[in-house]
Amino acid sequence: MLLKVKYQGTKKYIRLHSGFTYLDFISEVKNKFGIPGASELYIFDESDTAMEEDILLELMEANPDLCLTVRRIPSRKHKEKYALGIITLFPSLRDPFSPKGYLNQDFVLLFGEETSSRLLEKWDTTFKLKVIEESKHLTKSTELHRLLNAAEKHAEDDDANWDSDMASLLLLLHLLPPTAGRKRIKISASDAVDKMVHFHKSCCSIDEHLRGREGKQPYILAVGRAHKRIDTFYIVVDKQLIPCQATRSLGAFDELFKSHYVFNLSYEESLVHFYTFVQTTVYSIDITTTDESPRVRQFRAKLFN
């Protein structure tokens, strides 16, 4: 049996003998593409759906013309070790006047170009409209109404609203709100927003804001004249400013998410459901090994069924 397989943009045929097993398939893929034997591989079908072992064999036998995509995803231990090395090699990342772009560059080294580009390539085409439609079923509040108007671009002249991309991301946060954490204190989605992005008027002191801010988890500091008129985006990590390479809010969020991996940081407790969805469903990182909450799994199923 000949089967077409894609790895890192290259397609090749592999030969499988009658009665092959899942391990035989993985072994042949590694041999054909020169992948180290100890590497952990993840398999995806043509719709970019992760394939589990039992389903994979059944699908391959039923549809031999299928082209499967193979991705090599680093182990958590490897990512932690690599992230520590990045900080050691590039201490200028903590310098607000350092060259921009290190976050994207280092994330690509960890996961590859395909994974790194997923949010920017797929948010508008795959996720944004579905998030907006699902948000219309939430209990309406003044804030939710404003976010929906901004996301659908019904309030173009209202500078107090976020732009459409940021508004849609905040709607996702409302769809996956915080639950009570280790301290048994539950905060609202509205309160959690400030732990993901904070607007700061350009005429006010950034140093004063940083002094009054608690916590070490990263967040976006959007500096400008109004929410829709942002001059500069920063990622703030433990009161240190990292200038964003991006000039748009979606790109700034892309860098915010990546900072967790580059700096080996855990997710802000109130944003765990939100970030886990982005990790496994948008970036397709550690899909089979991440402990997702039922809320995240149910929301993904609802979004795509």
Side-chain angles (χ1 to χ4, degrees), residues 1-2 14-22 24 28 57 61:
M1 174 183 179
L2 290 177
I14 62 171
R15 186 182 299 278
L16 297 169
H17 298 289
S18 178
F20 69 89
T21 66
Y22 178 77
D24 292 333
E28 285 298 319
L57 295 176
E61 292 174 350

Side-chain angles (χ1 to χ4, degrees), residues 51-107:
M51 306 298 297
E52 296 179 353
E53 180 175 341
D54 54 343
I55 302 298
L56 175 63
L57 295 176
E58 184 178 331
L59 189 62
M60 287 164 60
E61 292 174 350
N63 185 7
D65 294 327
L66 185 71
C67 180
L68 297 173
T69 297
V70 175
R71 298 191 187 116
R72 177 185 171 195
I73 301 180
S75 67
R76 188 68 180 177
K77 183 177 180 181
H78 175 78
K79 288 182 285 186
E80 289 174 358
K81 180 179 179 181
Y82 190 85
L84 289 173
I86 290 170
I87 297 172
T88 302
L89 289 171
F90 301 109
S92 57
L93 272 170
R94 298 183 182 275
D95 180 356
F97 302 103
S98 68
K100 300 179 181 180
Y102 282 137
L103 282 176
N104 283 316
Q105 173 184 301
D106 296 334
F107 192 85

Side-chain angles (χ1 to χ4, degrees), residues 41-228:
L41 302 183
Y42 293 89
I43 316 300
F44 300 83
D45 69 7
E46 290 171 323
S47 67
D48 210 31
T49 301
M51 306 298 297
E52 296 179 353
E53 180 175 341
D54 54 343
I55 302 298
L56 175 63
L57 295 176
E58 184 178 331
L59 189 62
M60 287 164 60
E61 292 174 350
N63 185 7
D65 294 327
L66 185 71
C67 180
L68 297 173
T69 297
V70 175
R71 298 191 187 116
R72 177 185 171 195
I73 301 180
S75 67
R76 188 68 180 177
K77 183 177 180 181
H78 175 78
K79 288 182 285 186
E80 289 174 358
K81 180 179 179 181
Y82 190 85
L84 289 173
I86 290 170
I87 297 172
T88 302
L89 289 171
F90 301 109
S92 57
L93 272 170
R94 298 183 182 275
D95 180 356
F97 302 103
S98 68
K100 300 179 181 180
Y102 282 137
L103 282 176
N104 283 316
Q105 173 184 301
D106 296 334
F107 192 85
V108 167
L109 291 175
L110 284 170
F111 296 105
E113 289 280 1
E114 186 176 358
T115 298
S116 181
S117 62
R118 281 181 179 276
L119 176 77
L120 298 183
E121 288 183 355
K122 294 193 171 187
W123 184 254
D124 281 346
T125 59
T126 306
F127 296 98
K128 186 174 181 178
L129 291 179
K130 293 179 179 179
V131 166
I132 291 172
E133 288 304 310
E134 285 299 321
S135 299
K136 292 178 180 178
H137 302 299
L138 294 172
T139 302
K140 294 295 187 296
S141 65
T142 301
E143 180 182 3
L144 194 64
H145 181 72
R146 290 183 64 182
L147 288 174
L148 278 168
N149 279 341
E152 293 187 304
K153 300 182 180 180
H154 292 161
E156 289 288 282
D157 297 330
D158 186 357
D159 286 347
N161 272 344
W162 290 106
D163 63 60
S164 177
D165 286 334
M166 180 57 75
S168 63
L169 287 166
L170 297 180
L171 287 175
L172 176 61
L173 176 52
H174 280 264
L175 288 163
L176 292 169
T179 54
R182 292 186 299 273
K183 299 178 181 179
R184 301 299 175 191
I185 299 175
K186 182 179 179 180
I187 68 172
S188 67
S190 299
D191 292 334
V193 165
D194 197 57
K195 296 181 180 296
M196 193 268 273
V197 58
H198 178 85
F199 169 72
H200 187 80
K201 264 195 170 298
S202 52
C203 60
C204 299
S205 168
I206 293 179
D207 287 339
E208 186 175 334
H209 162 75
L210 294 175
R211 284 194 297 270
R213 186 83 179 200
E214 296 181 356
K216 295 185 177 182
Q217 264 61 43
Y219 64 94
I220 296 170
L221 185 64
V223 180
R225 291 159 288 173
H227 286 69
K228 200 175 286 185

